[in-house]
Amino acid sequence: MATGSNETKKKKGIALHWRILIGIGLGIIAGILLNKIAPYEEWSKYIKWAGDIFLRGLRMIVIPLVFTSIALGVAGMGNSAALGRIAGKTIGYYICTTAIAATIGLILVNLIKPGVGAPLNLSETVTDLGAASGDVSFIDQIVAIVPSNIFESMAKGDLLPIIFFAVIFGFFMNKVDQKYSGTLQTLFTSIYEVIMKITFFIITLAPYGVFAIVTTVVGKQSGDTQALLSMAGSLGVFVLVVWSGLIIQGVIVLPLLVRLLGKVNPWRHISKMSTALLTAFSTCSSGAALPINIRDSQEKCGISGKIASFVLPLGSTINMNGTALYECVTAIFIAQAYGIDLSIAQQIMIVFTALLAAIGTAGIPMAGMVMLTIVLSAVGLPLEGIGLVLAVEQLCDMPRTCINTYGDSCGAVIIARSEGEKLSI
């Protein structure tokens, strides 16, 4: 039954990717042709609304998705000393590897600067949104993470305080009487399942939203052929930066940790977990790969059910190495495209926010795009900048999901070895 469910998810994921790629292709063609028929200002209003609705739909589910997923994840750790020890190791590993990935992305995007000089004609939006104004200091932003009124933060869409409150709420959910904590977990699980259904519905609209966004972005530039070529070149370099960072994380950093901390052959481990990694790559969903990841970790790698059933599901929720790297690179790329000079403090805040945002990323296709709004909001960058990278979203989504799943598997190996287990790899 589980296998059939997983195959269904895989087929749906692949079908979605084809529809999105078709939407991107049609959007590029439509943007060029429509601009030859009529001025951009005349036709854009009839198409732009679809992209706006898609982005608003993503914003709509961010707060309930983040709050419920993080609260449930923290509450699911339990109260026993053994579970607390394993949870501490697991979270420590996930935070460290995700921070390393985000830092790699930060270094590469600052060295290569893919967004600098791209004629995207987006500077007029920056003034309206007050992007990266620098009025709030780094210390003030850290203090603001603790909400003075959680309902006010929810009303304003202030996501960092919401994440902080969700962690605290999930932790103390286990401290109350069992009948209350059980009721709360049932309630939150029900809400989370409903939000996931809504999220999947919104994601099915992605091809149409992407078509509208790409059409308007290309249409805005199609009057200038040189600008279009420059934009395509910048996006190509952007993809190169993302893939380079992911390769460094997946071929150097994680295998090195498996060798040093897990004391096993990392290449043999990759070979054993290849089915789960290919599933993650093809579906862009770490959730779809999770059942295979758990099965192969136990059957092929010799990891105990106790470790695999805790570390891997938790990792599928909070360990997003590839997503954090992608979000960090994307935020800096958007700032460069808008001509915004971010201070060192603001870039550190991007890394920190990418880390927190990755923890709240659900294991579903294109969920990283949902959580990217957190990173952009943290330093005042315009959310419309997401439209700049939607054309290459799929090219970045496949490898980063694969790295997310590989990072989970590496974590299971390292935690199992730290608990004294003997593995078969």
Side-chain angles (χ1 to χ4, degrees), residues 13-243:
I14 294 172
L16 176 64
H17 292 161
W18 279 114
R19 293 198 301 271
I20 291 174
L21 288 173
I22 291 171
I24 291 169
L26 292 177
I28 294 173
I29 296 171
I32 295 173
L33 294 180
L34 286 172
N35 234 30
K36 294 184 180 298
I37 297 173
Y40 170 81
E41 291 75 15
E42 291 185 10
W43 62 262
S44 61
K45 59 186 176 182
Y46 298 107
I47 296 179
K48 188 175 180 294
W49 63 269
D52 291 341
I53 288 177
F54 176 60
L55 289 176
R56 289 174 71 91
L58 291 176
R59 295 188 186 110
M60 176 183 69
I61 51 90
V62 165
I63 291 175
L65 181 63
V66 170
F67 186 78
T68 54
S69 64
I70 292 181
L72 284 172
V74 174
M77 293 177 190
N79 289 307
S80 70
L83 188 57
R85 183 182 66 253
I86 295 173
K89 293 178 182 179
T90 303
I91 294 174
Y93 162 82
Y94 287 157
I95 289 176
C96 288
T97 54
T98 303
I100 290 171
T103 303
I104 290 172
L106 180 70
I107 293 172
L108 288 178
V109 76
N110 276 287
L111 287 176
I112 300 175
K113 302 183 186 300
V116 172
L120 300 176
N121 296 337
L122 294 170
S123 58
E124 69 274 5
T125 313
V126 179
T127 304
D128 296 336
L129 294 173
S133 61
D135 293 337
V136 181
S137 70
F138 179 72
I139 298 298
D140 289 339
Q141 291 184 59
I142 295 295
V143 172
I145 292 175
V146 181
S148 58
N149 186 330
I150 187 59
F151 297 106
E152 181 182 2
S153 297
M154 288 181 174
K156 291 181 177 179
D158 234 349
L159 288 169
L160 285 178
I162 294 171
I163 290 175
F164 177 85
F165 183 77
V167 171
I168 299 297
F169 192 93
F171 177 79
F172 283 99
M173 198 184 294
N174 285 325
K175 301 298 182 182
V176 298
D177 189 87
Q178 178 60 37
K179 67 176 182 179
Y180 301 125
S181 64
T183 301
L184 284 172
Q185 291 199 36
T186 300
L187 174 63
F188 272 63
T189 302
S190 301
I191 295 173
Y192 177 76
E193 290 297 327
V194 173
I195 295 301
M196 288 294 286
K197 292 290 185 183
I198 297 173
T199 302
F200 272 111
F201 171 72
I202 293 172
I203 293 301
T204 60
L205 301 177
Y208 310 103
V210 167
F211 168 78
I213 293 170
V214 172
T215 299
T216 52
V217 170
V218 172
K220 206 168 188 178
Q221 300 294 324
S222 62
D224 187 346
T225 304
Q226 188 61 38
L228 270 179
L229 293 174
S230 179
M231 181 172 68
S234 295
L235 286 176
V237 177
F238 167 78
V239 173
L240 179 63
V241 170
V242 173
W243 276 70

Side-chain angles (χ1 to χ4, degrees), residues 129 394 405:
L129 294 173
Q394 294 306 302
T405 299

Side-chain angles (χ1 to χ4, degrees), residues 267-331:
W267 312 118
R268 189 178 302 160
H269 172 239
I270 291 176
S271 175
K272 299 274 190 182
M273 302 306 301
S274 59
T275 303
L277 299 182
L278 288 173
T279 301
F281 186 88
S282 61
T283 62
C284 291
S285 173
S286 54
L290 181 59
I292 300 175
N293 204 0
I294 294 175
R295 182 199 66 189
D296 290 351
S297 292
Q298 296 180 72
E299 296 180 2
K300 296 182 179 181
C301 299
I303 299 172
S304 69
K306 176 184 69 175
I307 299 293
S309 62
F310 175 78
V311 174
L312 294 175
L314 183 62
S316 181
T317 302
I318 72 171
N319 181 44
M320 296 290 176
N321 290 186
T323 301
L325 186 149
Y326 170 78
E327 289 173 346
C328 192
V329 171
T330 303

